[in-house]
Amino acid sequence: MESVIKVKDLYKIYDETSVEVRAINGVDIEINEGEFTAVVGPSGSGKTTLLNMIGGLDKPTSGNIMIGGQNLALMSSSKLIDFRMHNIGFIFQAYNLIPVLTAIENVEFVMHLQGISYRERRARAKELLEAVGLGDRLNSRPAKLSGGQQQRVAVARALASRPRFILADEPTANLDSKSTENLLDIMYQLNIKEKATFIFSSHDQRVVNKARRVINVEDGKIMSDITK
Amino acid sequence: MNYLKMAWRNTLRNRARSLITMASVFLAIFLALITRSMQIGSYDNMINNIVGAFTGNIQVHKSGYWDEKIIDNVFSYNDRLVNYIKSIDNVSAIAPRVETFALASYGNKTKGVMVNGIDPDAEDKFSKLKSKLVKGEYLNNDQEGVLLGSSLAENLKLSVGDSIVILGQGYHGSSAAGLYAVIGIVKFPSPDLDKRLMYMPIKYAQEYCSLDNQITTLALKLEDDKNNHQVKEQILSRFNNSDIEVMDWRELTPELAQQIEADNGQGIIMLAILYLIVAFGIFGTLIMMINERVREFGVMLAIGMRHYKIVTLVFFETLIIGFVGVVVGVLFSLPIIAYFHNNPYQYTGEMAKIMEQYGMEPVMPFAFESGFFLSQAITVFIIIVIMLIIPVISIARLKTIKALRA
């Protein structure tokens, strides 16, 4: 199977204070197409920092992050914005939908940025919202949706631009158990149906149980990497 | 979802704040339009009264006349000059005059007067002199007689039908004297003019001063005073610059020009203060709007929205607030300005008396100029652009990861 992400010799060192903090301390990983991978570890282990760097949101101190033959570590911030738009879908812990847009408009938003025609993006957004079980809430604003429903809109938004992979930082942290199960099922189905590559960071055992590959990070290092 | 629609929704997001900001823009525009319209209307009234009633927008004299108003400083009033000046687009009326000072005597009373030799028809068109007639008849070119200001007539204790002796200096040192029948009394709002003005047909004034077809003053009325410098240049370029002097009303009545300038300056300072307050209101709104949405901007950056597109969105949001404020301000002020433009406010009591003493109609018409509405809208737009500078810089400097953690 083809590698989507190749991370080589990655370091992220914070030295803003007198104490040097090695948030990522020499990480090497490869993520293949279609994977459903969980990055787990205790708080402060570096899993969010790792995901932020893979997602091009943060720059490494050293090392390479190769995605589709391009090294994210060498890209300017404006190039990174365009790169993210075309290659990466994000699901945030706090959903982070745009409050003035309806569910369907939130899903359409990234496609609008990509310059996709109204008809095409509307059809795709509708299809995705139906896939996450929100076909009847297309025109609801985020404030009118529950946390679980908002996160499902965020999943649809992340998939809308057909990215190479989706990064989900603690996607179930703010959800109750029923919503968590429901969300995980939806993502699992989409992973198969849309052949979307998912990478999660999570504390949640239910996420770990659902993942087909589990990468355990502690003190900025990979302690174990288990494919089920 | 276009940015304008999104901006509109963001404007409605915090309705109270947007409404307060819109209200401040509305109030500034409303007050600016009303006060400036009043001011400019008053200036127009002053100019029309003083300039229109006597001075004219422009006067042509022999070079040096204005500094030394003697009867020797005359120039030839000929068809070539008249036809040329009448052919200038902006000129609406001309009035040739022979102006000289003399002593007027009736019985045992003597007063200093300003003798004005005029073309009765042209002068009436120019300054509506006939409408100021309160007794007797108006002048005609072939009747040897004079009109006197009512205060002058009262001071000399004469009336229509009496004869007045005037004595002065004629052309090149000749003595000028004459006995003229008083055929009418005119009343000028300005007491100063009313007690010293005397009118007679121009040919008799020329005869009195031993002039040929010469005049001291050619007064011009313009349709649009804003372009008076063009008319001046046209006249000066046609005639030999050293022979004639061409002066506009600002040079002829510098006190009036200075008074308007000083008052206008105060008005502009008041407007500047008003707009400064509005500018800080807009700035405060912008800063709050941006600070509370840093995380949202972070998400936008994360999913692929470039900084300049976020700036565009914020610009539209501010523009909507400004636009609504301006439109409502114009809509509220427009009927008030239009009403007082067509039905000028009438001063009463002491104020009316004071204005009349200064030769002005005791009214305050509002100026109605489309350009002024536009200039206020442009001013608000410029304020918005200036107030956006700091917010734009802070958006441009946003780091995605830091914004997401905000």
Side-chain angles (χ1 to χ4, degrees):
Chain A
M1 200 166 277
E2 195 190 335
S3 281
V4 180
I5 305 162
K6 283 183 188 172
V7 175
K8 187 83 184 145
D9 212 14
L10 197 70
Y11 286 85
K12 180 71 181 178
I13 302 164
Y14 294 105
D15 52 3
E16 286 157 7
T17 58
S18 54
V19 185
E20 184 184 274
V21 177
R22 290 177 174 255
I24 296 295
N25 195 10
V27 165
D28 297 281
I29 37 170
E30 281 193 26
I31 308 280
N32 294 324
E33 198 182 306
E35 276 192 15
F36 202 69
T37 301
V39 179
V40 297
S43 287
S45 59
K47 54 187 189 302
T48 297
T49 307
L50 179 62
L51 255 63
N52 284 340
M53 285 193 289
I54 291 173
L57 299 174
D58 203 357
K59 289 240 176 190
T61 307
S62 65
N64 297 317
I65 303 158
M66 302 297 294
I67 297 169
Q70 296 187 73
N71 190 350
L72 263 59
L74 302 177
M75 279 188 196
S76 68
S77 53
S78 56
K79 272 201 166 178
L80 270 174
I81 292 175
D82 288 344
F83 184 85
R84 287 196 298 265
M85 177 172 65
H86 291 287
N87 295 283
I88 309 168
F90 289 95
I91 302 168
F92 301 98
Q93 182 180 334
Y95 331 129
N96 287 344
L97 299 177
I98 297 169
V100 293
L101 302 183
T102 61
I104 195 162
E105 286 166 348
N106 261 291
V107 179
E108 274 183 75
F109 191 67
V110 68
M111 292 187 278
H112 174 71
L113 294 175
Q114 285 179 317
I116 293 169
S117 72
Y118 173 77
R119 244 174 112 154
E120 198 182 328
R121 64 180 195 246
R122 184 122 288 219
R124 168 94 176 140
K126 204 173 164 198
E127 181 195 343
L128 284 165
L129 283 170
E130 278 164 0
V132 297
L134 290 172
D136 57 339
R137 305 304 301 269
L138 300 180
N139 295 312
S140 300
R141 296 241 185 130
K144 300 279 176 195
L145 299 172
S146 68
Q149 287 173 324
Q150 287 189 54
Q151 198 60 306
R152 280 189 273 156
V153 176
V155 170
R157 178 178 70 179
L159 283 160
S161 61
R162 299 179 202 277
R164 284 172 188 267
F165 60 92
I166 291 152
L167 290 175
D169 186 17
E170 308 266 10
T172 59
N174 291 353
L175 301 181
D176 58 35
S177 55
K178 196 179 164 200
S179 299
T180 300
E181 289 294 343
N182 184 243
L183 187 79
L184 286 171
D185 282 343
I186 287 166
M187 289 197 287
Y188 198 80
Q189 295 302 322
L190 289 168
N191 169 247
I192 295 162
K193 191 183 158 202
E194 292 265 333
K195 294 184 176 59
T197 307
F198 278 86
I199 306 159
F200 309 94
S201 74
S202 188
H203 284 104
D204 195 331
Q205 192 54 44
R206 285 165 297 193
V207 177
V208 177
N209 292 343
K210 204 87 176 175
R212 289 195 292 272
R213 181 180 171 189
V214 178
I215 299 169
N216 191 2
V217 180
E218 268 180 51
D219 297 329
K221 287 182 178 174
I222 293 177
M223 306 307 285
S224 66
D225 186 349
I226 301 159
T227 304
K228 294 177 190 170
Chain B
M1 166 64 47
N2 61 47
Y3 294 132
L4 203 59
K5 197 171 166 185
M6 206 165 152
W8 174 246
R9 287 191 194 167
N10 275 321
T11 310
L12 297 177
R13 199 161 148 187
N14 193 330
R15 284 172 203 223
R17 189 176 58 208
S18 298
L19 278 174
I20 289 168
T21 316
M22 282 171 188
S24 71
V25 175
F26 154 76
L27 206 64
I29 286 282
F30 180 78
L31 291 176
L33 286 172
I34 297 285
T35 55
R36 289 298 285 165
S37 171
M38 272 165 60
Q39 273 188 311
I40 293 170
S42 302
Y43 304 153
D44 287 348
N45 189 40
M46 285 161 90
I47 294 165
N48 285 339
N49 276 274
I50 294 171
V51 172
F54 191 74
T55 316
N57 301 81
I58 285 177
Q59 283 189 6
V60 181
H61 316 122
K62 187 187 179 191
S63 253
Y65 172 77
W66 198 249
D67 289 334
E68 198 181 2
K69 290 187 191 76
I70 56 169
I71 199 67
D72 288 348
N73 281 334
V74 288
F75 65 103
S76 179
Y77 180 60
N78 54 51
D79 290 345
R80 185 173 147 258
L81 175 74
V82 174
N83 292 338
Y84 177 70
I85 289 177
K86 278 186 174 170
S87 73
I88 297 171
D89 268 354
N90 200 5
V91 177
S92 61
I94 62 167
R97 292 174 190 154
V98 171
E99 295 172 347
T100 185
F101 293 96
L103 284 173
S105 183
Y106 178 72
N108 58 357
K109 299 231 176 243
T110 302
K111 296 283 169 192
V113 295
M114 186 178 166
V115 177
N116 274 278
I118 57 164
D119 175 333
D121 292 336
E123 191 64 38
D124 185 44
K125 274 184 202 159
F126 191 92
S127 61
K128 298 188 179 69
L129 182 61
K130 206 172 179 176
S131 69
K132 296 180 178 79
L133 192 73
V134 289
K135 207 171 180 186
E137 287 171 23
Y138 188 59
L139 296 175
N140 81 62
N141 270 326
D142 301 318
Q143 188 181 2
E144 194 178 16
V146 295
L147 297 179
L148 297 184
S150 61
S151 302
L152 177 62
E154 208 174 295
N155 289 340
L156 290 171
K157 302 212 180 305
L158 55 65
S159 189
V160 173
D162 293 331
S163 292
I164 186 170
V165 174
I166 58 171
L167 185 68
Q169 193 177 353
Y171 192 53
H172 282 172
S174 63
S175 61
L179 176 70
Y180 300 94
V182 177
I183 60 166
I185 307 289
V186 282
K187 181 155 182 67
F188 292 95
S190 159
D192 186 47
L193 291 178
D194 203 48
K195 70 182 179 196
R196 65 189 175 97
L197 275 184
M198 170 191 274
Y199 287 96
M200 67 169 73
I202 197 163
K203 75 173 181 185
Y204 296 108
Q206 285 168 333
E207 213 175 275
Y208 162 77
C209 294
S210 310
L211 296 172
D212 290 327
N213 197 21
Q214 291 153 312
I215 57 173
T216 58
T217 303
L218 182 62
L220 277 65
K221 208 170 199 180
L222 305 182
E223 280 164 14
D224 180 10
D225 185 67
K226 285 188 188 76
N227 296 325
N228 69 29
H229 63 280
Q230 285 175 1
V231 177
K232 277 171 74 177
E233 277 164 24
Q234 271 177 281
I235 297 169
L236 283 169
S237 65
R238 179 68 185 257
F239 298 95
N240 191 336
N241 288 6
S242 60
D243 285 351
I244 58 163
E245 63 187 15
V246 183
M247 299 170 78
D248 62 36
W249 65 268
R250 285 181 183 79
E251 296 162 292
L252 297 164
T253 53
E255 323 76 40
L256 177 67
Q258 280 163 13
Q259 192 187 336
I260 289 176
E261 211 170 289
D263 195 70
N264 192 36
Q266 282 176 10
I268 288 169
I269 290 169
M270 286 305 291
L271 269 193
I273 293 170
L274 197 64
Y275 279 127
L276 202 65
I277 295 166
V278 172
F280 277 105
I282 292 174
F283 184 69
T285 301
L286 276 169
I287 293 295
M288 279 190 276
M289 212 156 84
I290 286 165
N291 281 347
E292 71 189 25
R293 286 163 64 194
V294 170
R295 190 185 177 88
E296 184 181 319
F297 294 152
V299 174
M300 288 173 168
L301 290 168
I303 64 177
M305 193 170 182
R306 297 278 285 263
H307 290 86
Y308 77 89
K309 287 184 175 173
I310 298 175
V311 167
T312 308
L313 185 65
V314 172
F315 175 70
F316 281 150
E317 289 170 21
T318 322
L319 205 61
I320 287 169
I321 290 173
F323 183 76
V324 172
V326 168
V327 168
V328 178
V330 168
L331 287 178
F332 271 74
S333 57
L334 202 64
I336 297 171
I337 292 170
Y339 177 79
F340 284 110
H341 177 70
N342 294 316
N343 309 282
Y345 175 75
Q346 295 276 344
Y347 288 106
T348 52
E350 282 303 306
M351 189 65 192
K353 278 183 192 163
I354 292 167
M355 287 186 79
E356 277 174 346
Q357 275 173 5
Y358 280 95
M360 284 182 278
E361 224 182 321
V363 293
M364 184 174 60
F366 281 38
F368 194 95
E369 290 174 17
S370 56
F372 191 58
F373 292 95
L374 189 68
S375 68
Q376 298 310 303
I378 291 170
T379 306
V380 171
F381 180 78
I382 292 169
I383 288 173
I384 287 173
V385 171
I386 294 170
M387 291 303 110
L388 269 168
I389 293 172
I390 292 174
V392 162
I393 291 170
S394 71
I395 291 172
R397 283 182 177 170
L398 270 185
K399 299 276 180 225
T400 312
I401 192 73
K402 279 190 179 168
L404 281 169
R405 285 176 189 150

